[in-house]
Amino acid sequence: MLYLVGLGLADETDITVKGLEIVKKASRVYLEAYTSILLVDQSVLETYYGRSIVIADREMVESNSDEILRDAQTEDVAFLVVGDPFGATTHTDLVLRARELAIPVAAVPNASILSGIGAAGLQLYNFGQTVSMVFFTDSWRPASFYDRIKENRAIGLHTLVLLDIKVKEQSLENLARGRRVYEPPRYMTVGQCAQQMLEIEEEKGEGVYSPDSLAIGAARVGGKEQKFVAGTLRELCDADEVMGPPLHSLVLLGRRTHELEHEFVRDFALNKETWDRIWKAEYGKQ
Amino acid sequence: MLYLVGLGLADETDITVKGLEIVKKASRVYLEAYTSILLVDQSVLETYYGRSIVIADREMVESNSDEILRDAQTEDVAFLVVGDPFGATTHTDLVLRARELAIPVAAVPNASILSGIGAAGLQLYNFGQTVSMVFFTDSWRPASFYDRIKENRAIGLHTLVLLDIKVKEQSLENLARGRRVYEPPRYMTVGQCAQQMLEIEEEKGEGVYSPDSLAIGAARVGGKEQKFVAGTLRELCDADEVMGPPLHSLVLLGRRTHELEHEFVRDFALNKETWDRIWKAEYGKQ
C-alpha cells in the first residue's frame, strides 16, 4: 500500500494519530521536501517518529517514482507531505503511477494552508481561486496570477497567494558545470510578494488592485509563533520585520466581506486608522 | 486558554497528536455538533480520549457561549470542531467573545472538506468560492448558490457544494407546543443536491449548468469507506445507492481543467463513455 500522509503545517505533533501509526509501521518513509516545509527540521521528525526518513526531492518524485513505489504491492510505503497530501499536482502523478502498477493507495488528510488560513478571520467561502507567486528574476516575471486575481476581485472574493520556496536549487554556473552544489534555501516573504504584486499592477495598469488595497500577511500558520499582519499592500511591502521568519502567505481581500471579518481582522492591523478608513470606503459591500 | 481543536473528517484517530494532548489535559471538553459530524459516535470519542464530552448545540454556542468560556482565563477549555476550527462562522464569534473576556485563544488546525476534497483528483487551485445547499421545503427554496456557481463557472472554476445536515431539529408542532422532542437527524445526499440544483436551473433558465454538466459526488471523505462517483448531474440524481451513507458533498466541474484531472477522475465515472464524450466536448479548455 502507498500511504500519502499529510503532516499539517507546523511541527512534528501536527501529524494525526492515524498518520503516526502508519509512519511507525511502514517499510520505508519518504518526505516530500520541495513544495513546502514544516517549521522543524528532518531530524526532529526522525526522532519523534523513531524512524529514518528519505528526503524525496523534485527529481526523485518526478523522474524516479518507481523507486518510491518499489514493492508497494506487498509492503507499506509512507510518503509524507507537508500540509494535505493533495495540495500539489505532483502527488496526483504519483497516485496515477501507483494505479498503473496495481498498488493500492490511501491518503491521510491533514490541515492545508488553504483551510488553515481561516485562522486569519476571513470566511473561507469568500475565497476565490488560489494563486502562486514565484521569485521574479531579471528575465522571468510570470504574471498569470494577475489575471486570476482580477477574476476573483471582479466578483468580490479574497485571493490566497502562496509564496515561492527555493530549496536545493543550483546556480546556473554550478548547473552548467554539473556540480551538485546547492544554493541556500530561500523563502519568499510577504514584503517581496506585495512588492512584486505592485510592480505587475504598475506594468499592466488595469487597476486590479492598488498600493492602498487591503491585505493580510500570514506567517507560520498553525505554529506557536503564528502571526497575522493586516495592512495595505504598500504597508506590507515593509512589514517583513514584523512578520518574522518563514513560511509566509498573503491574502488580498475582496470587497465581499462580512462585518464579522472586519471585527476579527482589524485586530491585526498595522495601522487601525488607515485600515478602518479604507475598509469603510471600499469593502463590506455585497 | 480556549483551544479550538480540529478533529479532521472521519474518525477518532484523525485528531492530531497536538490536539489529543490538549483534549487529555483540558478542564472541560466541548464538541460542536451541528455544523458537521464525524463518522463515529460521541461514545467512541469519549472512550478514545478517556474524557467525557459536553455536546455543544447551536443554542449553546450562539446564546450561551459564556458557559463554554467560563474560567478559561485560568483553565484550559477544549472546544472540538469537526474538520478545521475555522470552517464555520460560528467559531469566529466564539473567538471574538473570548477576546472581549481577555481569554487567550489557540487553534489546532486539521483537515477540512475544503482541502480534503482534493482526494477526488481535482486541483485545489482550480476551485472558486464554496457554496452551501440546504434542504428545500415547499415554501423555502434558497437559491443564492446559483449566482455563486454562475460566477465560478463564468471563469471556468470548480465549485464545492457543501450539503445540509439537520440535527436536533424540532417539528413545527413540537416547537409550537414547547416540547423538547427532536426529529431524527437528516443528511442531504448527492442525489438530493443534484436534484435541487436542476430544479433551480429549470426555474432560472440562465444555463449556468445543465443535466449533462459533469460533477463528482463525494462520500465520507477521509474515511476508510471514502467514495467518489463521477457523472453528469442527471446521473448523480440516481446515484445515492452507489454513494452509500453520509456525509456527502458535491463538486460541479468548471471548464478550466487539466488533463491530469481527467485521467484521475474518469476512474470514478459511472459511465466512462458518457464522461469522455462530454469532457472532450466541453471541458479541458483554458
Side-chain angles (χ1 to χ4, degrees), chain A residues 123-127 157 256 258, chain B residues 87 89 114 129-131 148:
Chain A
Q123 302 301 323
L124 291 172
Y125 55 77
N126 285 338
F127 279 73
L157 300 176
R256 189 191 290 171
H258 190 281
Chain B
T89 320
L114 274 70
Q129 59 198 315
T130 301
V131 303
R148 306 268 156 126

Side-chain angles (χ1 to χ4, degrees), chain B residues 150-179:
Chain B
K150 184 178 177 180
E151 291 170 340
N152 285 345
R153 281 179 69 86
I155 50 178
L157 300 176
H158 308 314
T159 305
L160 171 63
V161 188
L162 302 177
L163 309 192
D164 204 3
I165 74 172
K166 294 276 185 208
V167 293
K168 225 180 160 186
E169 298 275 320
Q170 288 170 283
S171 68
L172 281 177
E173 192 187 338
N174 283 326
L175 195 66
R177 299 187 180 208
R179 290 193 296 223

Side-chain angles (χ1 to χ4, degrees), chain B residues 7 10 40 56 67 69 100 110 113 145 151 176 184 193 197 218 224 235 257 273 286:
Chain B
L7 297 187
V40 295
E67 169 53 24
L69 298 173
E100 281 172 19
N110 207 323
I113 185 67
F145 72 85
E151 291 170 340
C193 174
M197 285 175 70
K224 272 187 201 127
E235 286 171 341
T257 47
E273 212 175 311
Q286 292 292 324

Side-chain angles (χ1 to χ4, degrees), chain A residues 252-270:
Chain A
L252 185 69
L253 265 66
R255 70 175 190 290
R256 189 191 290 171
T257 48
H258 190 281
E259 190 48 37
L260 211 57
E261 294 181 287
H262 185 208
E263 203 180 330
F264 200 108
V265 172
R266 86 183 286 278
D267 215 45
F268 306 130
L270 284 164

